[in-house]
Structure formats: C-alpha cells, structure tokens
Amino acid sequence: MPLNIAIIEDDPILCDELLEFFDGADDINCVLVVESVPKFQRFYRDFMDIHVLLLDINLPKVSGADGIPQLRKLLPNAEIIMHTVVNDYDTIFKCICLGATGYLLKDGNLNKLRETLLEIRDTGGSALSPSVARRILAYFQPQAKRNLQEETLSEQELTISRLLVDGLSYQEVADAVGISLNGVRYHVKNIYKKLHINSKGALLKRFRAGWFGG
C-alpha cells in the first residue's frame, strides 16, 4: 500500500523537484502540495488519507512551527515532519512540543528522504536528522555534563558574553576589553558556534538560565 504524503513548502523549485521525484515512486503517493498552512486548511479533505506531512518552517502568513497545532487537529494520526534548513535548539523543541513527530534538515538527497519516510511506515520510528538527534540527546543529558560540553568558553569569551548581555554595543565591548571591533565580531562568532545559537537573544536566554556562570 503506497504511503500518502502531503507537502507544505513555499519554494517552487523544491516543490517541483519533490513532485517529480515522488511521481516516479510507486510506494509513495503525493496527494497534496501547497505553499502555506492556510492553503492546506483550505484544500485538505479527509479522503486524502494523509499518512505523512512534510512541513517547512519559513512559510508565508503562518510559520510551519506556529501552524502545527492547527495541522494536528486536521491530521491527528499522521506524522508531521519538519522539513527545513532551520537548525537551532529553540525551534527544534518548539516544533516537537507543539506536536511534530520528526525533524529533517533539507540536504537535497531525495532518495534518502524517500527511504526515511518508508522506514517510518515499516518500523514506526521517528524521522530525525543526525545533527538534530544529537542536539536532542545533549539536551536531556545531566545538567553538569551538558554544561561541560557546551560551556567551553574562554575567559575572554565569557567576559564578552556578559558585556553583551549587559547591553553593550560591539564597539563598547571592544573598548572595554581592549580589542578591535573585528576582534569582538570574531569572538562573538566563536561564542555562538560553541553554544549552538545564532542571536543575542539566545545568548541572553542562556545567561538567564545560568548556563555559563551568569
């Protein structure tokens, strides 16, 4: 019995690639492809019997993450798998907490995507990209071990982190620490990489949680 899937994706090129690929597969049937959550709500019908929904995150009007509760009401028994380039802790856990059952990073390997979807059907497993699975496992490790792994900031990086959290600009941090503006940018890049974050707001969350001696 073919696996019925639906896709919510606003990249027309990727949509065409996915449609062409799945059209050639006799074990997967793509029953609906739309570019937004509202359009899915408009065109979805029960008779489509959707088993898996591939859901992008960066969508117009309603993000894929924010649309999960609405989609879950329509598809209470389906796998809702995020199919995205977004790979940060906050988004991953938001999606899972809202009802997503899988999280795959777009890598262009459609054969691998097909194998993953069929494996879910056959074994009942979860679709997780390896890097996403590592992040989830790291999150649930004991606090001390997680701190040891993630808080490998140097003394200068800790100082810069605290100054940024205190609201100083990059130039003010440079003056306070005695390095160049480009030096601050270099250290911030390393801080974000080590903490697996990509914004000052995320840095503030880590600081408030006491994850690096705040």
Side-chain angles (χ1 to χ4, degrees):
M1 178 181 177
L3 183 72
N4 292 337
I5 72 167
I7 300 170
I8 304 180
E9 170 63 61
D10 68 333
D11 182 339
I13 295 176
L14 179 56
C15 277
D16 289 343
E17 290 177 354
L18 290 169
L19 274 173
E20 182 179 357
F21 178 79
F22 288 123
D23 277 348
D26 56 8
D27 44 14
I28 293 180
N29 184 25
C30 190
V31 298
L32 181 62
V33 179
V34 292
E35 69 271 20
S36 69
V37 172
K39 278 202 170 182
F40 184 90
Q41 293 174 293
R42 178 181 174 187
F43 292 109
Y44 168 75
R45 297 294 183 271
D46 288 340
F47 66 77
M48 293 176 178
D49 191 25
I50 294 171
H51 305 130
V52 174
L53 172 64
L54 290 180
L55 177 61
D56 191 17
I57 289 178
N58 295 321
L59 296 171
K61 298 182 180 179
V62 179
S63 76
D66 291 335
I68 293 173
Q70 306 165 42
L71 296 167
R72 179 53 72 195
K73 289 179 181 178
L74 294 175
L75 305 170
N77 300 314
E79 302 285 342
I80 296 181
I81 300 173
M82 312 313 292
H83 189 226
T84 179
V85 297
V86 181
N87 186 22
D88 65 80
Y89 276 106
D90 290 342
T91 304
I92 292 170
F93 282 97
K94 177 180 180 179
C95 291
I96 292 174
C97 290
L98 287 173
T101 55
Y103 202 105
L104 297 176
L105 298 177
K106 296 176 181 175
D107 61 5
N109 190 335
L110 299 186
N111 283 314
K112 182 179 178 181
L113 175 61
R114 171 181 168 273
E115 291 172 2
T116 299
L117 297 181
L118 293 176
E119 184 176 354
I120 293 172
R121 180 194 66 182
D122 297 338
T123 67
S126 296
L128 294 172
S129 290
S131 63
V132 173
R134 284 195 295 272
R135 289 195 171 196
I136 293 173
L137 289 172
Y139 182 86
F140 287 104
Q141 288 174 341
Q143 183 69 36
K145 185 175 181 180
R146 187 165 74 242
N147 287 349
L148 180 63
Q149 290 181 333
E150 297 206 2
E151 295 168 22
T152 56
L153 303 185
S154 67
E155 286 300 319
Q156 191 167 47
E157 288 169 344
L158 284 169
T159 299
I160 290 172
S161 297
R162 294 187 181 109
L163 292 173
L164 289 172
V165 167
D166 286 340
L168 274 67
S169 68
Y170 278 22
Q171 186 59 63
E172 289 170 333
V173 172
D175 295 340
V177 179
I179 60 177
S180 69
L181 184 60
N182 284 336
V184 173
R185 293 192 180 106
Y186 172 80
H187 284 299
V188 169
K189 182 179 179 181
N190 285 338
I191 291 166
Y192 285 4
K193 182 177 180 180
K194 288 181 178 181
L195 297 179
H196 306 291
I197 59 176
N198 55 18
S199 70
K200 186 177 177 180
L203 182 68
L204 181 59
K205 285 184 180 180
R206 294 296 178 90
F207 188 90
R208 286 174 174 170
W211 278 25
F212 49 93

